[in-house]
Amino acid sequence: MSDETSFLTPEVTSMPRFSGIRTFMRLPYEPEVQERDFVVLGAPFDTSASYRAGTRFGPEGIRRISSLLRPANVFHKIKPSEFLNGVDGGDIMVIPGNTEASHRNITAHVKAWAEKGAVPIVLGGDHSITLPELRALSSVHGPLSLLHFDAHGDTWDDYWGEKYTHGTPFRRAVEEGLIDPYRSVQIGMRGTVYHPNDLDEARKLGFLVITADEMREIGLQETMRRALERIGESKVFLTFDIDFLDPAFAPGTGTPEIAGFTSAEAQGMLRQLTDIHLVGCDLVEVLPALDSAEITTLTGATLVFEFLSLLAVHKQRTTSSSFSHSK
Ligand code: MN
Ligand code: MN
């Protein structure tokens, strides 16, 4: 159980996991922008939500339960801290009710970290926060592939005349040239929509859309094979809306949709992404006040650990193979 390096400071073996002040997985808290492999940031902005608000407490809830996580991933046979140097950069300043000012801060902050080589891992917040992340990362990396897990496409044009909401970021991202929709995929769409053609609208923008019904038809392996084929070699932003999961597995969210996926299915799909070139990711729409027994925050935290594991596997491949835990 003894380890030279670990995310956890102090080590889990020297101090119980439930002790101490919370950062994501007890990473060091380093708000100063610096050269790192990754940074975990909170974006506690939730006033672009179209139904239930409260995801401003998402980052706090995810950090709280993340202390439960242990440092090694048994599926990938990897301990991310052996390959990655990362910190918790704290929360980005947001202004409730002022979407554009909050988005400007998110863009500036994410861009500053990305320019130092860090892969930003952002905890939402409502899904509007992904747009300013994409602005930041496309300014550093060029137009990105989007890999989008969600019950909703979030490609509506506006809500009550508002262009910047949690239901519109991906239409804006296409319009602004931040992502290449022909290299992007949306997975898991289901539920009631405003108009029978809503999903076709996303397809008209260029996205590959694989609905929940289609996923059940073709299977999850085939779903991920099509997604990976679509993405190819391009730089990828992975965005995961927790409502991709069934409300039974993630009750704490603002716009739940029935007939979703299990946490095991989501974890299994993410684990197939070891070949993608990930330059940024986020996990959004966790709403702790509506959670039950910390199911949703735990799921969110664990899926973020899967993101970290993907970065670690990628790094492992690109560094020398002198590590004892190499696969
Ligand atoms: Mn969403
Ligand atoms: Mn959603």
Side-chain angles (χ1 to χ4, degrees):
M1 291 239 297
S2 73
D3 300 295
E4 290 299 312
T5 58
S6 174
F7 280 162
L8 308 176
T9 51
E11 253 302 332
V12 282
T13 47
S14 63
M15 189 174 176
R17 280 175 287 160
F18 52 79
S19 313
I21 293 168
R22 294 290 181 261
T23 57
F24 186 77
M25 288 188 76
R26 304 206 301 182
L27 283 164
Y29 172 52
E30 297 280 357
E32 288 295 314
V33 176
Q34 54 196 277
E35 283 182 23
R36 297 287 178 179
D37 295 316
F38 73 89
V39 59
V40 176
L41 296 166
F45 182 75
D46 66 1
T47 47
S48 285
S50 59
Y51 200 73
R52 308 190 287 207
T55 60
R56 65 184 61 183
F57 294 107
E60 181 198 48
I62 291 168
R63 286 189 177 109
R64 184 179 64 240
I65 196 69
S66 74
S67 62
L68 173 62
L69 302 179
R70 300 173 192 84
N73 186 314
V74 74
F75 178 83
H76 293 300
K77 295 187 170 53
I78 200 165
K79 192 170 172 186
S81 57
E82 291 182 348
F83 298 93
L84 301 173
N85 187 347
V87 297
D88 189 324
D91 284 348
I92 302 168
M93 169 67 182
V94 299
I95 302 147
N98 192 333
T99 304
E100 289 181 42
S102 301
H103 282 188
R104 277 195 296 277
N105 286 347
I106 293 169
T107 298
H109 212 77
V110 169
K111 187 177 177 190
W113 280 98
E115 283 173 340
K116 290 281 189 184
V119 174
I121 301 172
V122 180
L123 313 175
D126 70 46
H127 219 158
S128 78
I129 66 158
T130 305
L131 180 66
E133 291 178 72
L134 291 171
R135 286 175 179 150
L137 293 173
S138 67
S139 78
V140 174
H141 298 287
L144 303 168
S145 283
L146 182 76
L147 177 52
H148 177 193
F149 292 81
D150 203 326
H152 315 97
D154 296 346
T155 51
W156 286 290
D157 189 31
D158 71 278
Y159 269 79
W160 315 290
E162 289 294 322
K163 294 280 192 180
Y164 301 102
T165 77
H166 82 153
T168 58
F170 303 113
R171 180 176 291 265
R172 297 291 94 78
V174 173
E175 290 169 351
E176 294 182 23
L178 313 177
I179 56 175
D180 177 358
Y182 295 95
R183 285 257 169 232
S184 296
V185 55
Q186 300 188 300
I187 296 170
M189 284 71 231
R190 62 184 193 276
T192 55
V193 289
Y194 296 101
H195 190 276
N197 297 334
D198 278 358
L199 292 173
D200 294 332
E201 288 291 312
R203 291 179 171 124
K204 269 188 231 160
L205 288 171
F207 289 106
L208 172 64
V209 179
I210 309 178
T211 66
D213 289 336
E214 288 163 349
M215 291 169 72
R216 308 251 187 240
E217 180 92 24
I218 65 177
L220 302 184
Q221 286 270 348
E222 174 62 13
T223 300
M224 296 318 286
R225 193 196 64 74
R226 291 184 192 182
L228 290 169
E229 183 181 72
R230 181 81 168 181
I231 289 164
E233 304 288 305
S234 41
K235 292 180 177 178
V236 180
F237 187 90
L238 168 59
T239 186
F240 197 102
D241 183 328
I242 201 72
D243 69 29
F244 174 80
L245 298 173
D246 192 89
F249 294 87
T253 194
T255 44
E257 304 291 350
I258 67 159
F261 296 91
T262 69
S263 34
E265 287 170 330
Q267 189 178 49
M269 281 185 269
L270 291 177
R271 286 173 168 177
Q272 292 179 50
L273 299 174
T274 51
D275 288 331
I276 66 171
H277 184 180
L278 199 56
V279 299
C281 45
D282 63 18
L283 189 129
V284 300
E285 299 284 352
V286 169
L287 200 168
L290 294 169
D291 203 3
S292 183
E294 298 182 285
I295 301 170
T296 315
T297 51
L298 175 61
T299 306
T302 310
L303 296 181
V304 170
F305 179 64
E306 294 293 337
F307 300 169
L308 277 176
S309 302
L310 294 176
L311 292 176
V313 171
H314 201 263
K315 186 79 179 287
Q316 181 185 38
R317 287 207 195 118
T318 55
T319 54
S320 75
S321 55
S322 60
F323 295 96
S324 58
H325 293 286
S326 295
K327 209 171 168 181

